[in-house]
Amino acid sequence: MLRAARPYWRIPAFALLTAALAFAGSFLFPPTYASTTRLLIHGADVRFLSASGQDTAVQRSLIDSKTLTETYAGMATSRSAAIAVVDELHLDRPDTGHGPVHALKSVVAWTYRCGRAFVTHGYCAKVPRRERAIQRVQEGVSAAQLGMTSGDAAGRPGAFILELSGSGETGEQARDVTDALADHLVRMSGQHAEAAAAAYVSALEKQVEAAGADVRSRSAAVERFEDSRGISAADEQQVLDIQAYSSLRGDLRGAEAELADSRAQLASIDAVLGATDADATSKQRISTGRSDTTVQTTEGNPVFSALQSQRNTLVSRIAGLRARVSRLNQQIRDTSPTTLNADQSELAGLLKDLDLAREQQAQLTGQVQQARTQLATDASELTRLDTAGVPSYPVAPKRYLYLALGLLLGGLAGAGLTWSAARREPAGEPDEPPPADEETRWVPWEETPDERVDDTLPDIPGPSRVREPAPAQAGGADERAGRHVDAGGAG
């Protein structure tokens, strides 16, 4: 077995040698470390995202955790964020390393970079140091919602947590890049929220100014109409009384409609309560193998309790609506309806428009005050949950991949050399002589001082051994190759 495996010694030898060289060569490539940190997104406080100036707090259903995390992930992987990190950490400063190992690493890195660029684009361009630093930071940054693909909260995509990762050539650099990126993202969020809030406040202020101008215009129209028609203060008060009476009638109709709806709901709940048991009974059978035990439990019916709670709420609401209807009826009885003439009717329309304009102005003014308060209190929509740590091991290069690739290539090279060597070597003599056919045999010669004896003659009549005198000249062709004997025994 050892003799049969001896020609294949090149395969394991080359595989081990190439694997060792590949593993050692992996140390020429700069390692890449990765560090992570987490940011909390204030999803419930997100505002001022509408470009039209509309407060998105009333549209909370349109803002979910996935939308916010994707937004901030796009901001984290932007070029502006990478530039800020490079400028803050001075990652574009010249390399001060020296020595043969450092020079060899630089040559390997340049060869790999240019070889990759040549294979991809057909040429190798000279990239400035600052641009290379920005590209490295931007390529090494990743941001995703915690729970979507990894982390302790996997399977819970509703979390308002952004997991941010940065990379570097050392563990400390990876930590610094991640922390600087997280701080920059928090600042960007604060600036974005502040700019959006300021734009929202500015838009509201313009609307307030327009509403004020509308109020002044309508007030002037009322004054001009009163002066032109000679309407006195008593006429204006009569118009106001009529408007109050109309408003009371409208409120009364609304209250009566709500009262009727509440009574219908109460009747429906009473009907359901009449068909629902107050108590619920449950039975449980326990078998122990030798005997059966039945346990019966009686407890309050949760459906009956919920219906009873709804009924109590409706009873309270009906009592309040009854009181409101009674009060409105009393106010209507105290206000005597009158008939307006044509001038008073037109004045009523003008006064109604003026009231609507004043109401709009008051509403916009309240929104401006609320927006200004929020602008002064809101700092950012992101909060740091922790700080990045120093990783213990690099994430690249994967040295076991270099080892496996070296074993594979070395094994293939050893197999090729073994095959080539086997083709170059001449065919060796066989271990046993080839079998003789029925007509001839190969008879070796045995030399004696004065004769040569053939012991391999076939069974033929005559003596079993043939003795012949030695040839006159030693070293002849018959002596070197043997003698050919036919089946008849002739030499």
Side-chain angles (χ1 to χ4, degrees):
M1 183 180 296
L2 294 177
R3 182 178 181 183
R6 187 178 303 169
Y8 302 99
W9 65 270
R10 297 178 181 84
I11 297 177
F14 275 84
L16 294 177
L17 178 61
T18 310
L21 293 176
F23 185 77
S26 66
F27 288 90
L28 297 177
F29 295 92
T32 301
Y33 293 81
S35 183
T36 60
T37 187
R38 295 178 180 179
L39 301 175
L40 175 63
I41 303 175
H42 302 283
D45 300 331
V46 176
R47 290 176 177 266
F48 311 130
L49 298 181
S50 176
S52 61
Q54 182 181 5
D55 187 0
T56 55
V58 298
Q59 299 176 344
R60 188 67 63 212
S61 60
L62 300 180
I63 302 175
D64 57 0
S65 60
K66 187 174 185 297
T67 302
L68 291 175
T69 51
E70 287 179 351
T71 301
Y72 286 113
M75 296 171 62
T77 55
S78 64
R79 179 178 172 83
S80 60
I83 292 175
V85 172
V86 170
D87 292 340
E88 181 178 351
L89 301 179
H90 305 288
L91 299 179
D92 57 343
R93 57 175 174 262
D95 192 1
T96 57
H98 54 83
V101 176
H102 181 269
L104 182 59
K105 287 184 177 181
S106 300
V107 171
V108 171
W110 179 86
T111 304
Y112 173 76
R113 184 175 65 253
C114 283
R116 180 180 176 183
F118 186 82
V119 172
T120 304
H121 306 287
Y123 66 96
C124 179
K126 184 178 180 181
V127 183
R129 185 184 302 275
R130 175 179 174 80
E131 185 64 26
R132 289 202 305 269
I134 293 173
Q135 291 177 2
R136 283 197 302 267
V137 171
Q138 194 171 5
E139 291 174 357
V141 172
S142 63
Q145 180 182 8
L146 181 65
M148 294 299 293
T149 56
S150 63
D152 297 335
R156 289 175 284 176
F160 285 86
I161 297 178
L162 180 67
E163 193 170 49
L164 191 64
S165 176
S167 63
E169 295 183 357
T170 61
E172 291 77 7
Q173 188 181 67
R175 176 200 60 193
D176 296 340
V177 168
T178 305
D179 285 335
L181 185 64
D183 293 337
H184 176 72
L185 195 61
V186 171
R187 289 194 300 269
M188 286 179 62
S189 173
Q191 295 173 0
H192 169 72
E194 184 179 357
Y200 180 63
V201 170
S202 177
L204 286 178
E205 288 176 348
K206 292 180 180 179
Q207 294 180 14
V208 169
E209 293 178 359
D214 189 27
V215 169
R216 291 190 296 270
S217 175
R218 295 184 184 278
S219 297
V222 170
E223 292 178 0
R224 288 194 300 270
F225 182 79
E226 291 178 347
D227 294 340
S228 62
R229 303 300 174 86
I231 297 177
S232 61
D235 295 332
E236 183 177 354
Q237 184 61 41
Q238 185 178 1
V239 172
L240 295 176
D241 292 341
I242 292 298
Q243 289 180 345
Y245 181 81
S246 301
S247 178
L248 289 174
R249 294 292 300 178
D251 292 342
L252 178 60
R253 287 191 294 269
E256 289 176 346
E258 291 183 10
L259 180 59
D261 180 66
S262 299
R263 285 174 176 173
Q265 294 182 22
L266 180 61
S268 176
I269 289 178
D270 288 338
V272 177
L273 281 174
T276 305
D277 296 332
D279 297 329
T281 303
S282 61
K283 293 183 179 181
Q284 184 179 7
R285 184 177 181 181
I286 302 175
S287 299
T288 60
R290 296 182 179 179
S291 61
D292 294 339
T293 304
T294 302
V295 179
Q296 182 174 347
T297 305
T298 302
E299 58 185 4
N301 191 349
V303 177
F304 183 86
S305 300
L307 291 174
Q308 190 67 34
S309 177
Q310 294 180 10
R311 186 182 186 282
N312 295 334
T313 302
L314 283 174
V315 169
S316 301
R317 183 180 179 185
I318 289 173
L321 289 174
R322 284 176 178 174
R324 182 181 177 187
V325 169
S326 177
R327 186 175 64 256
L328 289 173
N329 284 325
Q330 183 63 35
Q331 291 177 357
I332 289 173
R333 286 192 297 267
D334 294 340
T335 303
S336 57
T338 57
T339 304
L340 300 178
N341 54 31
D343 293 340
Q344 289 176 340
S345 298
E346 188 174 355
L347 177 61
L350 294 175
L351 290 175
K352 185 177 181 179
D353 294 340
L354 178 60
D355 291 339
L356 291 175
R358 287 173 177 173
E359 182 179 355
Q360 180 70 15
Q361 183 184 21
Q363 182 179 0
L364 291 173
T365 302
Q367 293 180 6
V368 168
Q369 295 298 330
Q370 181 181 1
R372 287 175 178 172
T373 302
Q374 186 175 358
L375 179 61
T377 56
D378 285 353
S380 175
E381 296 170 357
L382 295 177
T383 301
R384 293 285 302 272
L385 292 179
D386 55 12
T387 57
V390 179
S392 301
Y393 299 99
V395 296
K398 304 292 186 183
R399 305 197 190 280
Y400 62 88
L401 295 180
Y402 284 82
L403 188 63
L405 184 61
L407 286 173
L408 177 61
L409 296 179
L412 293 176
L417 291 175
T418 301
W419 177 79
S420 177
R423 288 180 59 86
R424 289 196 304 268
E425 291 180 357
E429 295 183 355
D431 296 338
E432 297 180 357
D437 54 13
E438 297 180 355
E439 298 296 332
T440 61
R441 290 186 180 182
W442 183 262
V443 181
W445 286 90
E446 181 179 357
E447 295 183 356
T448 61
D450 56 353
E451 67 179 356
R452 180 175 301 145
V453 180
D454 187 359
D455 295 332
T456 59
L457 294 177
D459 293 336
I460 56 176
S464 60
R465 182 182 299 269
V466 178
R467 296 179 179 272
E468 296 181 358
Q473 295 179 355
D478 293 341
E479 182 182 48
R480 290 193 304 269
R483 181 183 179 191
H484 183 272
V485 180
D486 59 10

